[in-house]
Amino acid sequence: MSSLITGMSYVRLSAPDLGRMQAFLEDFGMVLVDRDARRLYMRGIGDAPFLHVTEVGEPGAISFAYDVADLGRAAALPGAEPEEPLDAPGGGRRVRLRGPGGIWIELVTGRERVAPLPPRPLVRTPEGASRAAGPARVRRIAHTAYMTQDLPGTIDWYQRTLGVIPSDELVVGEPDDVLGQFDRIDLGDEPVDHHVIFLLRGRRTGMHHVSFEVEGVDDIFFGYDHMTRRNHDHVRGIGRHALGSQIFNYWMSPDDQMHEHWISQERLNAGSAFNRVRIGEGMSYDTGEAPPKRFVEQASPLVAFPEGS
């Protein structure tokens, strides 16, 4: 059976200061959609009405939201709450359920698409130059990573419930010492990203990071320059993940929620090979510097779903 989900819709986080989060996300490469006293919506340059929601509250992660083609199938899942309207820009409908460890999952359909923003010009104008200043241009939300104290149970839940399939598994030392697994969407022969979720074993439970695809590889570097000039908290990069052939750079929000600039050339389909990969200490496997301790141990705590959201 193909995956229930067809891609990510958005992430829902929580922070005490929406203005501070908005400033971070604008520098990161997103555009304001709507903001009131309780909630902040941000979009990218693509056709999704929003990619990122921040609720007023204690810092943490609330939910991961996924697009589905069949909301009836989602509503029939064990533990699913009743289907309801999505009260947000673009509308739509959703089903919510609790995932392992307490993370909320929102399964969404029927969101009204918006006009994409114009692409960056690729032909130099008579007055132009090769260097572009300003933020990266975020195109879409790509994936999330989730740290759990129960890795086998969490992998099993995601595969049984959302229908994802494994792309690569990380092992340390012995073959049964699994550190994490990358899981992708199953759309048959249609190419998909290397993963829509990375499930990681750790001492805590929470969101490790949320990843956003940028318009082009240059945006990784434009974004690095811009975020550095604005004194944002840089965690790791620029580098290349060996699995998935992904160019990356990681930044921490003002409330310790890790956000990734990401772009990849590799795609997989349902027939692509699954590999178990032995890695070094501290998740060392990628091109570039070894991951710092704060990257390896990162987990934004889970917080309650706000009433009326």
PDB file of all heavy atoms in Angstrom, residues 172-184:
ATOM      1  N   VAL A 172      25.859   2.137  14.897  1.00  0.00           N
ATOM      2  CA  VAL A 172      27.125   2.457  15.552  1.00  0.00           C
ATOM      3  C   VAL A 172      27.698   1.157  16.097  1.00  0.00           C
ATOM      4  O   VAL A 172      27.102   0.530  16.974  1.00  0.00           O
ATOM      5  CB  VAL A 172      26.936   3.477  16.696  1.00  0.00           C
ATOM      6  CG1 VAL A 172      28.280   3.837  17.315  1.00  0.00           C
ATOM      7  CG2 VAL A 172      26.227   4.724  16.181  1.00  0.00           C
ATOM      8  N   GLY A 173      28.838   0.731  15.590  1.00  0.00           N
ATOM      9  CA  GLY A 173      29.443  -0.498  16.088  1.00  0.00           C
ATOM     10  C   GLY A 173      28.724  -1.719  15.561  1.00  0.00           C
ATOM     11  O   GLY A 173      28.775  -2.021  14.372  1.00  0.00           O
ATOM     12  N   GLU A 174      28.019  -2.424  16.430  1.00  0.00           N
ATOM     13  CA  GLU A 174      27.348  -3.667  16.057  1.00  0.00           C
ATOM     14  C   GLU A 174      26.134  -3.382  15.160  1.00  0.00           C
ATOM     15  O   GLU A 174      25.486  -2.337  15.290  1.00  0.00           O
ATOM     16  CB  GLU A 174      26.900  -4.419  17.310  1.00  0.00           C
ATOM     17  CG  GLU A 174      28.038  -4.845  18.217  1.00  0.00           C
ATOM     18  CD  GLU A 174      29.039  -5.740  17.496  1.00  0.00           C
ATOM     19  OE1 GLU A 174      28.594  -6.632  16.730  1.00  0.00           O
ATOM     20  OE2 GLU A 174      30.248  -5.535  17.674  1.00  0.00           O
ATOM     21  N   PRO A 175      25.790  -4.320  14.273  1.00  0.00           N
ATOM     22  CA  PRO A 175      24.680  -4.101  13.332  1.00  0.00           C
ATOM     23  C   PRO A 175      23.338  -3.826  13.990  1.00  0.00           C
ATOM     24  O   PRO A 175      22.480  -3.177  13.395  1.00  0.00           O
ATOM     25  CB  PRO A 175      24.641  -5.408  12.529  1.00  0.00           C
ATOM     26  CG  PRO A 175      26.019  -5.952  12.623  1.00  0.00           C
ATOM     27  CD  PRO A 175      26.517  -5.566  13.998  1.00  0.00           C
ATOM     28  N   ASP A 176      23.134  -4.337  15.222  1.00  0.00           N
ATOM     29  CA  ASP A 176      21.847  -4.115  15.884  1.00  0.00           C
ATOM     30  C   ASP A 176      21.838  -2.864  16.752  1.00  0.00           C
ATOM     31  O   ASP A 176      20.835  -2.571  17.409  1.00  0.00           O
ATOM     32  CB  ASP A 176      21.451  -5.331  16.720  1.00  0.00           C
ATOM     33  CG  ASP A 176      22.469  -5.650  17.815  1.00  0.00           C
ATOM     34  OD1 ASP A 176      23.560  -5.042  17.812  1.00  0.00           O
ATOM     35  OD2 ASP A 176      22.159  -6.499  18.675  1.00  0.00           O
ATOM     36  N   ASP A 177      22.939  -2.104  16.754  1.00  0.00           N
ATOM     37  CA  ASP A 177      23.010  -0.867  17.542  1.00  0.00           C
ATOM     38  C   ASP A 177      22.570   0.293  16.646  1.00  0.00           C
ATOM     39  O   ASP A 177      23.388   1.045  16.105  1.00  0.00           O
ATOM     40  CB  ASP A 177      24.427  -0.656  18.062  1.00  0.00           C
ATOM     41  CG  ASP A 177      24.527   0.513  19.044  1.00  0.00           C
ATOM     42  OD1 ASP A 177      23.467   1.071  19.416  1.00  0.00           O
ATOM     43  OD2 ASP A 177      25.656   0.880  19.418  1.00  0.00           O
ATOM     44  N   VAL A 178      21.262   0.441  16.479  1.00  0.00           N
ATOM     45  CA  VAL A 178      20.702   1.417  15.539  1.00  0.00           C
ATOM     46  C   VAL A 178      20.592   2.779  16.212  1.00  0.00           C
ATOM     47  O   VAL A 178      19.968   2.917  17.262  1.00  0.00           O
ATOM     48  CB  VAL A 178      19.322   0.956  15.033  1.00  0.00           C
ATOM     49  CG1 VAL A 178      18.721   1.987  14.089  1.00  0.00           C
ATOM     50  CG2 VAL A 178      19.435  -0.396  14.346  1.00  0.00           C
ATOM     51  N   LEU A 179      21.187   3.789  15.577  1.00  0.00           N
ATOM     52  CA  LEU A 179      21.130   5.157  16.072  1.00  0.00           C
ATOM     53  C   LEU A 179      19.951   5.920  15.496  1.00  0.00           C
ATOM     54  O   LEU A 179      19.359   6.774  16.155  1.00  0.00           O
ATOM     55  CB  LEU A 179      22.434   5.889  15.753  1.00  0.00           C
ATOM     56  CG  LEU A 179      22.503   7.355  16.172  1.00  0.00           C
ATOM     57  CD1 LEU A 179      22.442   7.481  17.692  1.00  0.00           C
ATOM     58  CD2 LEU A 179      23.760   8.009  15.630  1.00  0.00           C
ATOM     59  N   GLY A 180      19.609   5.630  14.248  1.00  0.00           N
ATOM     60  CA  GLY A 180      18.521   6.370  13.634  1.00  0.00           C
ATOM     61  C   GLY A 180      18.125   5.779  12.300  1.00  0.00           C
ATOM     62  O   GLY A 180      18.853   4.969  11.716  1.00  0.00           O
ATOM     63  N   GLN A 181      16.944   6.168  11.827  1.00  0.00           N
ATOM     64  CA  GLN A 181      16.463   5.705  10.529  1.00  0.00           C
ATOM     65  C   GLN A 181      15.831   6.855   9.763  1.00  0.00           C
ATOM     66  O   GLN A 181      15.056   7.641  10.314  1.00  0.00           O
ATOM     67  CB  GLN A 181      15.443   4.576  10.700  1.00  0.00           C
ATOM     68  CG  GLN A 181      15.023   3.936   9.380  1.00  0.00           C
ATOM     69  CD  GLN A 181      14.024   2.820   9.576  1.00  0.00           C
ATOM     70  OE1 GLN A 181      12.818   3.008   9.385  1.00  0.00           O
ATOM     71  NE2 GLN A 181      14.505   1.638   9.970  1.00  0.00           N
ATOM     72  N   PHE A 182      16.175   6.934   8.473  1.00  0.00           N
ATOM     73  CA  PHE A 182      15.556   7.876   7.545  1.00  0.00           C
ATOM     74  C   PHE A 182      14.406   7.156   6.836  1.00  0.00           C
ATOM     75  O   PHE A 182      14.607   6.085   6.257  1.00  0.00           O
ATOM     76  CB  PHE A 182      16.567   8.345   6.499  1.00  0.00           C
ATOM     77  CG  PHE A 182      17.736   9.112   7.060  1.00  0.00           C
ATOM     78  CD1 PHE A 182      18.913   8.462   7.385  1.00  0.00           C
ATOM     79  CD2 PHE A 182      17.655  10.483   7.252  1.00  0.00           C
ATOM     80  CE1 PHE A 182      20.000   9.157   7.893  1.00  0.00           C
ATOM     81  CE2 PHE A 182      18.741  11.193   7.752  1.00  0.00           C
ATOM     82  CZ  PHE A 182      19.911  10.529   8.077  1.00  0.00           C
ATOM     83  N   ASP A 183      13.223   7.763   6.855  1.00  0.00           N
ATOM     84  CA  ASP A 183      12.060   7.168   6.207  1.00  0.00           C
ATOM     85  C   ASP A 183      11.489   8.125   5.176  1.00  0.00           C
ATOM     86  O   ASP A 183      11.394   9.335   5.407  1.00  0.00           O
ATOM     87  CB  ASP A 183      11.001   6.818   7.247  1.00  0.00           C
ATOM     88  CG  ASP A 183      11.396   5.592   8.060  1.00  0.00           C
ATOM     89  OD1 ASP A 183      11.212   4.479   7.557  1.00  0.00           O
ATOM     90  OD2 ASP A 183      11.903   5.764   9.179  1.00  0.00           O
ATOM     91  N   ARG A 184      11.058   7.554   4.042  1.00  0.00           N
ATOM     92  CA  ARG A 184      10.545   8.356   2.930  1.00  0.00           C
ATOM     93  C   ARG A 184       9.101   7.976   2.622  1.00  0.00           C
ATOM     94  O   ARG A 184       8.580   6.972   3.106  1.00  0.00           O
ATOM     95  CB  ARG A 184      11.408   8.154   1.685  1.00  0.00           C
ATOM     96  CG  ARG A 184      11.320   6.768   1.047  1.00  0.00           C
ATOM     97  CD  ARG A 184      12.312   6.647  -0.108  1.00  0.00           C
ATOM     98  NE  ARG A 184      12.202   5.379  -0.852  1.00  0.00           N
ATOM     99  CZ  ARG A 184      12.776   4.241  -0.490  1.00  0.00           C
ATOM    100  NH1 ARG A 184      13.495   4.178   0.627  1.00  0.00           N
ATOM    101  NH2 ARG A 184      12.639   3.158  -1.230  1.00  0.00           N
TER     102      ARG A 184
END
